[in-house]
Amino acid sequence: MFEQNTVYIVGESKAPSNNPITQQFNCFFIGFVINRDTHEIVDAECSTTISITSRFIQSMLVGKSILRPDELETEIEQRYFGSSQKALTVALRNASIKYQQLYKL
């Protein structure tokens, strides 16, 4: 399904305590499939309780570079107004840091 030059990275964060994500999963996760040659996000999925949320987040992130978390965070702040906005940006930053440490970028 995914090409050999892809890797899988997960970012984690805490969602607000009153958020259904916290009640169901205990924290917020976002998984990325990343092309390690171009650093492009090939696919993404996150721990949400409504499928449209995960699909919307995926549509914002796929095709973008994991090495530009500031740009991704700006887009999230401008387009995503779910209660887990902060959790999403923290998990994204967490995944970007893990990726950069893994490949010493």
Side-chain angles (χ1 to χ4, degrees), residues 40-75:
E40 178 184 303
I41 299 168
V42 174
D43 202 355
E45 188 169 343
C46 53
S47 57
T48 61
T49 55
I50 303 171
S51 65
I52 192 172
T53 305
S54 188
R55 292 192 323 264
F56 185 80
I57 291 169
Q58 179 187 46
S59 74
M60 285 192 306
L61 302 177
V62 169
K64 310 277 175 57
S65 174
I66 193 70
L67 298 181
R68 296 185 178 151
D70 292 339
E71 292 176 17
L72 298 174
E73 287 178 25
T74 298
E75 183 162 355

Side-chain angles (χ1 to χ4, degrees), residues 13-30 46-50 53-54 57 80 82-88:
S13 67
K14 290 271 187 195
S17 61
N18 62 346
N19 188 306
I21 292 170
T22 303
Q23 295 172 8
Q24 186 170 350
F25 301 109
N26 203 28
C27 64
F28 185 89
F29 297 96
I30 185 165
C46 53
S47 57
T48 61
T49 55
I50 303 171
T53 305
S54 188
I57 291 169
Y80 180 79
S83 61
S84 56
Q85 183 191 61
K86 181 67 176 172
L88 173 59

